[in-house]
Amino acid sequence: MNFSRCFPSSQHSVPSLDGRLIATVHESRLIIRSSKKSIIVQNFALPQDVLTISSWPFLQWSRREHLTGANPGELQTNSQGPGRAASRILLANDMTVLVMDTDDFQGQFMVNGGCGNLKIAHVCFGYSADEIMLFSVSGIKVVIWSFVTNRALAEIRDPKSPATCYNLRPRTGHLAILTRASGHDTLLLLSPKSRELVESVNLTTVDAQGIKWSSDGRWLAIWDIPSMGFKVLIYTADGNLYKTYTGGQDTDNIGLGVKTLKWSPDSNLLAIGDCNQRVVLLPVSFFSPSITFEHVSRLENAYLSNVWEEHINAGTTTTRTYIQPTQPTCPPATMDASQHPNNGISTIEWNPISNLFATKNDIHPSTIWIWSPRQQDIPVAVLIHHSPVRKFTWHPSHPYLLLIQCHHLHILSDPILYLWSALWDTPNIIKLPALDKQPAGARVEVGWLIIDDDDGGGGDDVEEVGGRPLSIFVGNNVNYTTVKIGSRDGQVLAPQKKMEIKGIGPEDIFDEGTSSVVDL
């Protein structure tokens, strides 16, 4: 395995969306490192009169795109020209937002009191890096702020939970947002850039739980609270109701409904996870169920060739492998479905080419199910672990490779991750290098570092026989590292000398001035 040294931080570090850079807040500075070479490419002293250390709940990257925003005090709009390709980074506390251009930290934008006298509960970039969305506490309002005009474009009252209440239309940037006033749900459609109201739709939901555009932007799906029955509303892009799917329920036969849903990346299928341990696929051609996938509580002999269980070798807690059971087995259940009926399929993740999807059933939280839309009876794989699964993600450019993280990661002296690929004979469990510091109970974040193929998988002088290595980010709130693994068979790369970089922080490198730039 090839890995970088651990780099210190004052909170969780965040990789950019393209994987080229990693942002770290360390003491009083914002540090941007190249994930390819682990060198500092930007180093910036944060304004301490506005933002205090240890109060950075929001740290987020924008997409890398052509920026057209205005510099503070002087409008420099470049909406007609190509602009410059770069990313922006957002830092915020409960009253102030600071946004900076990562290629030029002289380009700063500061929004004080964007929600008036109300504190900020959530903040994020909008469709582009030229706008941000600020959600106030208690769901009172959301403000959309533009850096092109340096003012608020829209203020929307009574938004629902920011986690699921809004979605941006792919390709065009139209904003769909759910609001609730006087006990009634409303769908608002806002135009891109100007954020003017295009359409307002009164919904028939009791308490809408979320909203999602299809990947091609043609359809909009909204689902109702599970306790009021099975209900998914399908709207066209202009806000017209196309179909209401009730899962076969009617007024005389009402059961628990939808837990979550996810469009396939090719926009041909809508996967709906319900509270009855099922996933239903709706083709967009007619939005009627084509296949239903059952998450059974007992895996009989017909399943066993596709079932893998985590095994801890006797006498050690660090050597773990996947083995196949020889007899029917039951995924560990932490609760009785009859006693907790509101638990069901909480997570659905499609792979990038829409021919596989992975699911997690809350009744069996340590098990991941992998399915093919063309194979109904038997799952492609069932992966059973010792600890509950925290999250799982497909690799964007290796569509058959799934990364799984369990909840025990933060308590192990030798943290581990789980990898499954349809191209391998067996899934793999990899041991990660221990972080230099692991505070008790600190959350460990793990994810793919998506780096262009030209970068050789993100490594210097690291070459895997028969393929390029893949990069993984591993970090907690005080330090992080990057790891490189093989892509051909899931085995770790041959150990190599760790990269040595003198100094423990930016101050010993940039002790004169506030910033510096290094070419990637």
Side-chain angles (χ1 to χ4, degrees):
M1 178 177 295
N2 182 280
F3 53 91
S4 71
R5 57 163 282 191
C6 286
F7 299 105
S9 62
S10 299
Q11 67 175 61
H12 283 86
S13 301
V14 180
S16 61
L17 300 184
D18 60 10
R20 298 172 62 252
L21 303 170
I22 299 175
T24 300
V25 175
H26 181 54
E27 296 180 350
S28 60
R29 311 185 77 86
L30 173 65
I31 306 161
I32 310 295
R33 287 187 185 271
S34 165
S35 59
K36 176 183 177 182
K37 300 180 179 179
S38 297
I39 60 175
I40 295 176
V41 298
Q42 285 279 21
N43 176 50
F44 182 71
L46 297 170
Q48 295 304 303
D49 58 329
V50 177
L51 297 174
T52 60
I53 298 175
S54 76
S55 62
W56 307 89
F58 306 104
L59 175 62
Q60 186 187 60
W61 287 88
S62 73
R63 295 180 300 170
R64 187 171 176 82
E65 58 186 14
H66 294 290
L67 304 180
T68 60
N71 284 327
E74 181 181 1
L75 188 64
Q76 297 182 352
T77 304
N78 189 21
S79 58
Q80 302 301 321
R84 63 189 188 283
S87 297
R88 284 184 175 145
I89 192 163
L90 175 155
L91 299 97
N93 60 15
D94 57 4
M95 290 301 294
T96 304
V97 180
L98 179 65
V99 175
M100 291 167 285
D101 293 351
T102 54
D103 65 334
D104 178 14
F105 276 161
Q106 301 304 314
Q108 300 178 39
F109 306 87
M110 190 171 293
V111 181
N112 290 308
C115 291
N117 295 326
L118 300 171
K119 291 186 177 181
I120 299 171
H122 178 75
V123 60
C124 60
F125 283 104
Y127 182 71
S128 75
D130 285 331
E131 69 175 11
I132 58 173
M133 300 176 63
L134 302 99
F135 290 80
S136 71
V137 295
S138 303
I140 296 176
K141 64 180 177 180
V142 56
V143 176
I144 303 175
W145 187 278
S146 170
F147 296 122
V148 176
T149 60
N150 261 346
R151 65 179 180 85
L153 294 179
E155 180 177 303
I156 303 167
R157 307 288 296 185
D158 304 310
K160 306 197 77 167
S161 168
T164 57
C165 80
Y166 75 96
N167 204 222
L168 292 155
R169 188 186 186 200
R171 303 179 185 176
T172 67
H174 287 79
L175 173 63
I177 187 167
L178 298 173
T179 65
R180 185 174 180 84
S182 302
H184 297 284
D185 292 334
T186 302
L187 165 65
L188 302 180
L189 296 177
L190 282 71
S191 65
K193 297 183 179 180
S194 68
R195 293 306 177 203
E196 296 178 348
L197 182 64
V198 175
E199 189 68 49
S200 176
V201 181
N202 293 322
L203 302 177
T204 59
T205 53
V206 175
D207 185 7
Q209 296 297 288
I211 182 170
K212 288 184 181 179
W213 286 100
S214 61
S215 303
D216 59 6
R218 295 179 58 199
W219 306 101
L220 194 59
I222 300 172
W223 67 100
D224 206 351
I225 189 170
S227 60
M228 299 307 297
F230 204 112
K231 191 173 191 178
V232 178
L233 306 178
I234 306 296
Y235 283 86
T236 59
D238 57 359
N240 290 310
L241 180 63
Y242 179 79
K243 186 164 186 176
T244 300
Y245 176 66
T246 61
Q249 298 181 6
D250 54 38
T251 55
D252 298 325
N253 179 28
I254 297 179
L256 290 175
V258 178
K259 187 80 172 179
T260 189
L261 57 79
K262 194 71 172 282
W263 294 94
S264 62
D266 63 8
S267 301
N268 290 328
L269 295 168
L270 176 62
I272 302 175
D274 64 23
C275 294
N276 296 310
Q277 335 313 321
R278 300 175 305 179
V279 172
V280 178
L281 293 188
L282 305 184
V284 298
S285 55
F286 46 87
F287 286 110
S288 294
S290 62
I291 302 179
T292 300
F293 300 87
E294 299 281 352
H295 295 65
V296 298
S297 59
R298 179 177 171 84
L299 301 169
E300 301 291 349
N301 291 328
Y303 289 79
L304 296 187
S305 62
N306 298 335
V307 176
W308 297 91
E309 294 181 324
E310 180 184 2
H311 175 70
I312 301 178
N313 292 347
T316 176
T317 60
T318 59
T319 305
R320 299 166 183 252
T321 56
Y322 278 112
I323 63 172
Q324 289 190 291
T326 58
Q327 297 180 349
T329 185
C330 298
T334 59
M335 59 189 75
D336 186 347
S338 62
Q339 299 295 323
H340 300 81
N342 198 36
N343 287 283
I345 310 303
S346 60
T347 311
I348 302 172
E349 293 293 342
W350 287 91
N351 76 338
I353 57 176
S354 304
N355 64 352
L356 292 173
F357 64 94
T359 61
K360 177 186 172 184
N361 180 4
D362 284 345
I363 300 297
H364 307 290
S366 63
T367 303
I368 294 297
W369 306 70
I370 301 172
W371 308 87
S372 168
R374 300 177 181 88
Q375 180 179 322
Q376 176 181 6
D377 297 333
I378 304 296
V380 175
V382 180
L383 307 174
I384 303 174
H385 307 92
H386 279 271
S387 298
V389 173
R390 180 167 176 252
K391 67 177 182 179
F392 49 99
T393 53
W394 295 94
H395 194 286
S397 59
H398 293 257
Y400 296 105
L401 182 57
L402 183 69
L403 172 69
I404 302 170
Q405 177 186 351
C406 290
H407 274 288
H408 59 38
L409 185 62
H410 68 283
I411 62 175
L412 296 177
S413 58
D414 295 306
I416 56 176
L417 290 178
Y418 306 87
L419 295 169
W420 176 89
S421 174
L423 306 179
W424 300 343
D425 293 332
T426 62
N428 192 27
I429 301 176
I430 62 173
K431 184 172 71 174
L432 301 175
L435 294 168
D436 288 347
K437 298 179 181 180
Q438 179 58 47
R443 186 180 79 252
V444 177
E445 292 292 345
V446 176
W448 296 113
L449 277 176
I450 297 83
I451 301 175
D452 294 337
D453 288 340
D454 292 341
D455 287 341
D460 289 325
D461 302 320
V462 179
E463 187 65 27
E464 179 195 5
V465 177
R468 296 184 182 276
L470 304 176
S471 296
I472 296 176
F473 171 87
V474 183
N476 57 23
N477 60 343
V478 295
N479 54 184
Y480 77 89
T481 186
T482 59
V483 180
K484 297 176 179 65
I485 64 170
S487 62
R488 301 288 291 186
D489 56 7
Q491 300 300 316
V492 298
L493 299 180
Q496 298 191 14
K497 184 178 179 180
K498 291 177 69 175
M499 184 181 300
E500 296 293 338
I501 301 177
K502 296 181 179 180
I504 60 172
E507 287 78 4
D508 56 339
I509 304 174
F510 303 106
D511 54 3
E512 302 290 339
T514 61
S515 66
S516 182
V517 180
V518 178
D519 291 334
L520 289 176

